[in-house]
Amino acid sequence: MSQNSWRNIASKLAGKNFDEHLRAYRENAGALRGIAWEPTAEERGETNAARFLEKKGLADFNALYEWSVADRAGFWEAAAAELGIRFRERCEETLDLSEGIEKAQWFKGSVLNIAESCFKADPDALAIRYRDFGGQLKELSYAKLEALANRVANSLVHAGFGPGDAIAVNMPMTVEAVAIYLGIVKMGGVVVSIADSFAPDEIRTRLRIAGALAIFTQDVAPRAGKELPLYQKVVDAEACRAVVIRVGKSSPRLRDGDNDWDSFLCEDEVFDAVACAPESPINILFSSGTTGDPKAIAWNHITPLKCATDGYFHHDIRVGDVVAWPTNLGWMMGPWLIFAALINKATIALCYEAPLGKEFGEFVERAGVTMLGLVPSLVKQWRSTACMEGLDWKSIRCFSSTGECSNSEDYLYLMYLADYRPVIEYCGGTEIGGGFITGSLCLPAVPGAFSTPALGSAFVILDEHDSPTDNGELFLIPPSVGLSTSLLNRDHHEVYYSGTPRGPKGELLRRHGDQFERFGNFYRGHGRVDDTMNLGGIKVSSAEIERVLNKTPGVKETAAIAVAPSGGGPSELVVFTVLNEKVPADALRTDFQKRIKSELNPLFKIHDLKIVDLLPRTASNKVMRRVLRKQYP
């Protein structure tokens, strides 16, 4: 251990409060180059990545990355073999570019059902460790999880559903939700992911776009002693046939044609997974565009290879590890968690309560979590309340973070909670199947910063003149496993490729919409450059928010923007509004927040409201939200 390393400095501060740690870190930041964790030779050698690069005869992680993008087909073929992906029939060609890079086909000609690769572990090994709605810590083996998934698959077939049918899931991340997800995939169906926080209109929109034929939900979602309605929202959305899991104290009457979970679920625990082509869809997820309906993105049977590969090489998920990430199936990290953990023969850790207070921290301790994933706004809250201090998190080997821009000092605090274990920053998207930039336990970690592009992925940062720069808009360089090639309800080329510049070597570039800065060997994200924002870890467009707020009496028009706090961290929502008539600002803000809560998502909080005389517009009358961002505050 270097005398000047943060690990050594922090060891001398054992027992001191975080303020003293932060003061020492600030004083030494220059000498440390911001680095708050470096792997020892032993720690580096124990990683999945180190063992793999030794197998391939590569010198270090950087050499592994260079090979992964120089020979993309070779890397992804090797990754599939390393992870033990089960194919019924092997592919004719790992990467087929005959239809162009935009339509890259991976593992062409193969036959598989990716759900089978989730059950390679010892049947008696733990698949899920969870804290249920009653606060009890329970466990489920791989054998029992597969049996429950098979019961779901058989029940769907008995109910008349078959391969290609779209079945929605609108419920918290529970054991049943995981089994339902895998059961739908096993029977060849397509999961339609809907966050349990969405309002009825948003549920209706997603069911319509996906053409869902049925929906799984709960009667209520217990939260902090309250029972939030779920089934009623499904009813209000005029949803298709529902299967309802009852967890509440009272029992709502079901619509004609809807079923209780217990009566729907058959007893047959054996099911032969339906063999599919690699491009067959398994999951429809939604990501906001800049206008209109959310983009509908289909994951196929190869997309989970991206989730599991990122989990294996970057998050270092090993056999028997315990992986927690507070999430649900409506966000891509829900499916990611299933595949990244189960394909790597690890245990998923689920806490049914919200991760806001000490109860969640005690669950992390009791469950023996080894990798804990988060969003920055959650860490910010933990720091402000000190609710996680005094807990024993020695089982944690690393954290991960995604969904929003991180605040470096908040993330130093997170590391402090677990004796300075590193944070693997992770940025990507639903249409990527994982991350394009992240970190590694083979590399040093700077709080709130990324240390490497994801293996098998490449990007370039360009300025406003389309020249390479250290601070500008990031564009992806396809192809890669996980990248979408079509959208259900948009022109894929128009969304991701139309009008993009060429790369420094003439490469076709793919639009992503994030601004990034490179400093030394690290990168820092600065949020969106378009009119999409991340609020509470959920992507939403300005247009979606404005559509709801413009219904408010007295309002002529609105413009919603996201701004980064001066110290960095999660984006904050600011609304500019032009009025038709005088309305008190406090009353207007309250009305706006109620509308956002009821029609969009209660997680979206208004940070500031500005009443203005007019909005800046282009010659073609488009609102210039970039001007508003520059002018604020």
Side-chain angles (χ1 to χ4, degrees), residues 385-399:
T385 61
C387 63
M388 298 302 176
E389 294 183 14
L391 295 169
D392 182 358
W393 280 5
K394 65 176 178 292
S395 62
I396 291 177
R397 192 164 66 251
C398 71
F399 297 97

Side-chain angles (χ1 to χ4, degrees), residues 325 331 374-376 401-405 426-427 534-539:
W325 204 311
W331 185 30
L374 305 157
V375 294
S401 174
T402 195
E404 304 170 295
C405 295
Y426 192 51
C427 182
N534 283 308
L535 300 175
I538 298 172
K539 194 179 289 185

Side-chain angles (χ1 to χ4, degrees), residues 548-626:
V548 169
L549 300 186
N550 287 343
K551 301 175 185 176
T552 308
V555 169
K556 181 179 180 181
E557 60 180 342
T558 58
I561 64 168
V563 297
S566 57
S571 296
E572 296 173 331
L573 174 60
V574 176
V575 176
F576 292 79
T577 184
V578 179
L579 300 176
N580 283 321
E581 58 189 63
K582 190 172 182 179
V583 181
D586 289 346
L588 184 62
R589 179 169 178 163
T590 299
D591 197 352
F592 277 178
Q593 191 63 67
K594 285 180 179 178
R595 288 177 181 275
I596 288 174
K597 179 179 180 180
S598 64
E599 298 185 46
L600 283 175
N601 197 310
L603 300 178
F604 302 161
K605 307 293 185 183
I606 297 175
H607 170 71
D608 196 6
L609 171 65
K610 296 290 185 182
I611 298 175
V612 296
D613 293 330
L614 52 84
L615 299 174
R617 294 182 178 274
T618 65
S620 60
N621 208 40
K622 292 182 179 179
V623 175
M624 293 189 288
R625 298 183 185 87
R626 292 190 187 191

Side-chain angles (χ1 to χ4, degrees), residues 183-470:
I184 294 170
V185 175
K186 270 201 160 193
M187 68 78 123
V190 184
V191 180
V192 180
S193 292
I194 303 177
D196 60 354
S197 57
F198 277 132
D201 282 349
E202 298 302 307
I203 297 172
R204 182 185 297 111
T205 296
R206 285 154 176 77
L207 294 174
R208 169 180 55 81
I209 293 171
L213 301 177
I215 183 169
F216 286 90
T217 190
Q218 286 182 182
D219 53 353
V220 296
R223 287 286 185 274
K226 298 180 180 179
E227 293 189 344
L228 306 179
L230 277 186
Y231 176 63
Q232 187 57 51
K233 289 199 295 183
V234 167
V235 172
D236 292 344
E238 300 174 329
C240 42
R241 174 182 178 181
V243 178
V244 184
I245 298 173
R246 295 185 184 271
V247 298
K249 296 175 183 177
S250 59
S251 298
R253 182 178 178 181
L254 302 187
R255 299 176 305 179
D256 290 343
D258 291 347
N259 297 98
D260 280 312
W261 168 253
D262 291 338
S263 63
F264 176 81
L265 201 62
C266 73
E267 296 298 324
D268 190 351
E269 297 182 349
V270 178
F271 187 85
D272 185 21
V274 174
C276 302
E279 64 273 12
S280 298
I282 63 166
N283 195 178
I284 296 170
L285 297 113
F286 298 89
S287 180
S288 288
T290 54
T291 59
D293 286 343
K295 294 178 295 185
I297 300 160
W299 282 16
N300 61 35
H301 283 269
I302 297 299
T303 311
L305 173 59
K306 170 63 174 169
C307 307
T309 298
D310 286 358
Y312 185 80
F313 288 110
H314 292 288
H315 299 86
D316 198 44
I317 298 173
R318 308 175 192 173
V319 176
D321 272 354
V322 181
V323 184
W325 204 311
T327 183
N328 65 66
L329 294 177
W331 185 30
M332 64 156 282
M333 295 311 297
W336 186 97
L337 176 62
I338 292 173
F339 294 120
L342 299 185
I343 291 177
N344 286 308
K345 303 179 184 178
T347 300
I348 299 171
L350 300 177
C351 182
Y352 290 6
E353 266 292 345
L356 303 177
K358 195 159 190 170
E359 283 186 343
F360 178 77
E362 290 170 343
F363 165 76
V364 170
E365 178 181 320
R366 292 177 62 202
V369 170
T370 58
M371 199 284 279
L372 175 58
L374 305 157
V375 294
S377 54
L378 192 55
V379 180
K380 186 179 186 70
Q381 179 167 330
W382 289 355
R383 183 181 174 190
S384 69
T385 61
C387 63
M388 298 302 176
E389 294 183 14
L391 295 169
D392 182 358
W393 280 5
K394 65 176 178 292
S395 62
I396 291 177
R397 192 164 66 251
C398 71
F399 297 97
S400 189
S401 174
T402 195
E404 304 170 295
C405 295
S406 303
N407 176 283
S408 60
E409 293 188 352
D410 284 350
Y411 272 51
L412 184 72
Y413 175 76
L414 178 65
M415 296 170 71
Y416 161 82
L417 293 176
D419 196 23
Y420 290 102
R421 303 313 301 163
V423 180
I424 304 299
E425 289 282 348
Y426 192 51
C427 182
T430 307
E431 65 275 32
I432 294 169
F436 59 80
I437 186 169
T438 181
S440 167
L441 294 189
C442 293
L443 301 171
V446 170
F450 305 82
S451 57
T452 177
L455 293 175
S457 304
F459 59 77
V460 62
I461 301 172
L462 302 179
D463 63 19
E464 62 271 22
H465 304 295
D466 299 334
S467 297
T469 182
D470 285 336

Side-chain angles (χ1 to χ4, degrees), residues 69-95:
V69 291
D71 181 8
R72 301 194 192 203
F75 168 74
W76 286 108
E77 184 176 1
E82 181 76 4
L83 271 60
I85 300 299
R86 289 178 171 172
F87 291 95
R88 298 279 186 93
E89 295 179 20
R90 293 287 169 179
C91 66
E92 302 162 1
E93 192 173 7
T94 303
L95 173 58

